[in-house]
Amino acid sequence: MTKMKKFITVLGLCFILSACGGGSDSDSDTSAPPPTGVTPPPPVTKAEATRLLQQATFGPTLESIDEVVERGYEGWIDWQLSLTPTTHLNYYDSVTIADDQYWSQHVNAWWMRSLTAQDQLKQRIAFALSQIMVISQNGTSSSGREGNRSLSNYYDILLRNSNGNFRDLIEDVTLNPVMGEYLSMLRNEKPDPERNIRPDENYARELMQLFTIGLVELNNDGTSKTDSQGNPIPTYGQAEIEGFAHVFTGWTWGNVDRFTRWREDRDLLGPMKAFPDYHDTAEKRLLNGAIIPAGQTPEQDLAQALDNIFNHPNVGPFISKQLIQKLVTSNPSNAYVQRVATVFNSNDSGIRGDLAAVVKAILMDDEARTGTTSSDKVFGKVKEPLLRLTALWRAFDAKAENGVYDFRWVNNDFSQGPLQSPSVFNFFSPFYSPQGMFQDNDLVAPELQIHSEGTMAKMTNQLHWRAISMNNFAEDTPEPNDILIDITRERDLAATPEALLDHLDLLLMAEKMSPELRQATLDFIATYGDENLELKAADAIGLIITSPEFSVQQ
């Protein structure tokens, strides 16, 4: 352990900055596809396949690398988007859990699907969407079996819409009762001055600010529009907030027979339903001067309001840029954002909001595939804590004897957990820029917002323990719920250290390991002698996954 800490200290976290790479000197669009009928692109190499899988899955495996090589980039993406979603809610029907053990059980469902589901791309998109359209266990009545099932059910809404249309997604999210509870739309009443009741504005604000359009008007490349004085132009004001808040009145659980009734068995899974008597039927002001006429039903008002938001020109660049940040790079060039937003605005069939087309455009873009930008911005991103652990567990086929991935308290050690954000603003902001080199160069590093010296040390220790202590040669007899990696293959390769490092470089680093990290790892495992092959393999893995290089996705 002492050698490990010295090794990490020598490398230093400053490597994160230098590992992100650079770009060319132009922000112009350089990713035009070749003309049809010309020579097809060269085959995908294994290292290139690994890079795609780092962006589009919860971590490469040797089998998935071979799949990408065989199918090619586009073929693999199309295949993944065609797969039936492996839902999280079904997990509850496949395991037996004591009634008092359902706390955070949705997290165990997330581990099972994120680590083992074949539809990895859809699972990864859903994870990205869960950090844009946030609900949290911290802020909902999610206790007990049905409460936890409702969190998995919400996640499944994001999963099913991951290759659907964004307009359908925002409607499904809006009518979800857990979202309704989390952001106060559920049982939101029309105004009644005599009873001092005013429609709650919470969901109206967050739907616009965080889920769809943002606070300022955007160009299609994601840059802010400005007025004649150079100031950003707000997307909405108080009148629009009130208009949408009044739209979102009269909705409650789908299985109640009256609006004000509370039921212990309230429906936390199905969409909310409307009670017209509690809905405001007055005229309402929406975005860009649109007006909803008086006298309409709750359903009519809702449809027109969501159409109004969906067709706002901000949605394409606002959502596209965040998906690029969460999948590929924190600082995409303006041209990259514009290319993807253009696809959001209209796919090949002229349809707006096609998320499958958007995701494909993100992953097939020249910047994503080459790892360079068409501007002076650096390429790459800091990996989210959860993605560092899923990469380890997927690479080495982690399993527990009881067949359950029981790590519900992950947020305590990794400062992040699925649907466990401290607020609707997620664990980190897409606009977060640390002081120093990032701010000085107008760059963002969103994932660093949740880190401090303490959280980084805790996460490093956890990764090291998961790689070394929690394996098949641990001194203590493993418990049935211990999640153990399988390093049989790596143990056999350790007889030839160079071959082991080649293997780990491909699987964990997409063959981007620096000569310094490679040599330091070889020198370290050489201290064990020739007989300790398991320790050599385990320590090589531990050194790599706790290195600053591994924490950066390029």
Side-chain angles (χ1 to χ4, degrees):
M1 192 69 172
T2 302
K3 291 181 180 179
M4 168 71 77
K5 290 182 177 178
K6 287 182 178 178
F7 174 84
I8 294 171
T9 302
V10 168
L11 283 178
L13 288 176
C14 62
F15 189 90
I16 291 175
L17 296 175
S18 61
C20 289
S24 58
D25 57 0
S26 171
D27 201 34
S28 61
D29 187 337
T30 61
S31 67
T36 57
V38 300
T39 303
V44 176
T45 68
K46 287 193 173 186
E48 291 168 338
T50 302
R51 283 193 67 252
L52 174 66
L53 293 166
Q54 289 173 339
Q55 297 166 353
T57 74
F58 283 99
T61 65
L62 291 181
E63 293 77 11
S64 62
I65 292 170
D66 289 340
E67 286 174 347
V68 176
V69 171
E70 179 182 352
R71 295 175 183 271
Y73 293 138
E74 189 169 9
W76 183 87
I77 294 169
D78 289 341
W79 167 62
Q80 281 284 306
L81 292 173
S82 73
L83 295 174
T84 301
T86 310
T87 59
H88 293 220
L89 193 58
N90 286 344
Y91 173 81
Y92 289 84
D93 300 325
S94 66
V95 295
T96 301
I97 310 162
D99 289 341
D100 61 349
Q101 290 296 308
Y102 271 99
W103 64 276
S104 300
Q105 188 62 22
H106 71 281
V107 179
N108 286 2
W110 185 87
W111 285 117
M112 177 64 74
R113 298 309 188 225
S114 299
L115 294 172
T116 68
Q118 185 182 44
D119 57 316
Q120 279 287 299
L121 178 54
K122 289 185 177 182
Q123 299 290 336
R124 183 69 186 272
I125 300 167
F127 182 55
L129 291 172
S130 75
Q131 298 186 75
I132 299 173
M133 299 179 171
V134 174
I135 66 166
S136 177
Q137 181 182 13
N138 306 308
T140 60
S141 57
S142 59
S143 61
R145 178 182 175 91
E146 290 308 305
N148 269 278
R149 292 181 82 240
S150 71
L151 294 173
S152 284
N153 180 68
Y154 178 79
Y155 202 95
D156 284 343
I157 287 174
L158 308 179
L159 180 62
R160 290 192 181 96
N161 284 283
S162 60
N163 67 329
N165 193 280
F166 190 78
R167 172 61 177 80
D168 297 330
L169 172 61
I170 59 174
E171 180 166 334
D172 288 349
V173 165
T174 298
L175 293 180
N176 178 262
V178 180
M179 175 61 79
E181 178 184 286
Y182 186 59
L183 291 181
S184 315
M185 177 182 159
L186 188 142
R187 299 207 295 179
N188 189 24
E189 294 188 42
K190 67 183 179 182
D192 186 342
E194 293 184 1
R195 297 167 57 208
N196 196 29
I197 291 176
R198 297 172 178 81
D200 191 287
E201 299 175 357
N202 199 14
Y203 185 69
R205 290 177 184 273
E206 310 308 359
L207 175 62
M208 291 187 287
Q209 177 182 345
L210 301 177
F211 299 176
T212 55
I213 62 173
L215 292 172
V216 298
E217 298 281 350
L218 300 175
N219 297 303
N220 208 40
D221 64 1
T223 58
S224 299
K225 293 182 179 179
T226 56
D227 60 21
S228 56
Q229 281 74 47
N231 300 312
I233 303 170
T235 47
Y236 58 87
Q238 183 59 28
E240 289 79 13
I241 293 171
E242 292 179 6
F244 281 100
H246 288 236
V247 167
F248 301 135
T249 53
W251 296 85
T252 190
W253 300 291
N255 65 335
V256 297
D257 54 9
R258 62 179 184 270
F259 186 79
T260 56
R261 183 177 180 183
W262 171 275
R263 290 177 53 164
E264 288 294 332
D265 65 340
R266 62 200 184 281
D267 185 1
L268 297 174
L269 305 183
M272 294 186 290
K273 70 178 180 181
F275 284 76
D277 289 347
Y278 291 84
H279 176 69
D280 179 24
T281 58
E283 184 179 276
K284 306 168 185 72
R285 178 176 174 177
L286 305 181
L287 298 169
N288 295 331
I291 300 293
I292 287 182
Q296 296 195 144
T297 67
E299 292 82 2
Q300 289 173 322
D301 279 6
L302 183 75
Q304 291 182 21
L306 296 183
D307 284 345
N308 176 256
I309 290 179
F310 173 64
N311 287 295
H312 191 283
N314 264 33
V315 180
F318 186 75
I319 295 299
S320 297
K321 184 172 183 177
Q322 289 195 66
L323 289 176
I324 293 171
Q325 288 180 306
K326 287 175 170 55
L327 298 176
V328 178
T329 181
S330 294
N331 296 278
S333 70
N334 298 339
Y336 188 2
V337 175
Q338 181 162 354
R339 291 191 291 271
V340 178
T342 298
V343 173
F344 183 100
N345 296 338
S346 178
N347 68 5
D348 290 341
S349 300
I351 297 173
R352 178 178 176 80
D354 178 359
L355 288 175
V358 168
V359 169
K360 188 172 181 179
I362 290 172
L363 296 175
M364 290 296 295
D365 193 89
D366 185 62
E367 292 190 27
R369 299 281 43 87
T370 63
T372 59
T373 71
S374 57
S375 70
D376 59 355
K377 296 179 180 179
V378 295
F379 182 89
K381 66 192 294 291
V382 177
K383 293 176 184 174
E384 297 177 47
L386 284 177
L387 297 182
R388 296 181 69 180
L389 183 54
T390 59
L392 168 68
W393 278 350
R394 277 181 55 79
F396 305 106
D397 195 23
K399 288 184 175 66
E401 182 182 328
N402 63 4
V404 176
Y405 294 95
D406 189 7
F407 192 22
R408 287 169 283 178
W409 54 96
V410 58
N411 56 313
N412 292 335
D413 296 312
F414 285 80
S415 303
Q416 185 185 29
L419 300 185
Q420 293 182 316
S421 168
S423 75
V424 72
F425 293 95
N426 191 32
F427 296 95
F428 47 83
S429 166
F431 311 108
Y432 177 71
S433 179
Q435 292 183 354
M437 294 179 65
F438 286 98
Q439 289 188 8
D440 293 346
N441 291 280
D442 194 26
L443 300 172
V444 299
E447 296 82 2
L448 289 183
Q449 188 172 10
I450 59 177
H451 284 306
S452 64
E453 291 182 357
T455 62
M456 283 186 169
K458 185 183 290 188
M459 180 174 61
T460 299
N461 288 337
Q462 264 284 327
L463 286 169
H464 178 249
W465 178 60
R466 295 280 171 182
I468 297 177
S469 299
M470 292 289 287
N471 57 43
N472 289 327
F473 60 89
E475 293 181 4
D476 298 328
T477 302
E479 297 294 330
N481 64 340
D482 285 344
I483 303 168
L484 308 177
I485 62 174
D486 181 358
I487 60 169
T488 305
R489 176 180 52 222
E490 289 69 33
R491 178 201 62 199
D492 294 342
L493 285 170
T496 309
E498 290 285 357
L500 173 63
L501 266 291
D502 288 343
H503 164 73
L504 296 178
D505 190 11
L506 170 65
L507 185 58
L508 298 176
M509 306 286 288
E511 296 185 351
K512 288 185 175 292
M513 186 185 301
S514 69
E516 293 79 9
L517 175 57
R518 183 184 182 94
Q519 190 59 53
T521 305
L522 289 171
D523 292 343
F524 182 82
I525 64 176
T527 63
Y528 284 115
D530 295 335
E531 65 280 3
N532 292 317
L533 297 183
E534 282 188 317
L535 285 173
K536 281 188 173 185
D539 265 333
I541 294 168
L543 288 171
I544 292 169
I545 67 163
T546 56
S547 70
E549 291 184 38
F550 182 74
S551 71
V552 175
Q553 174 185 299
Q554 292 181 274

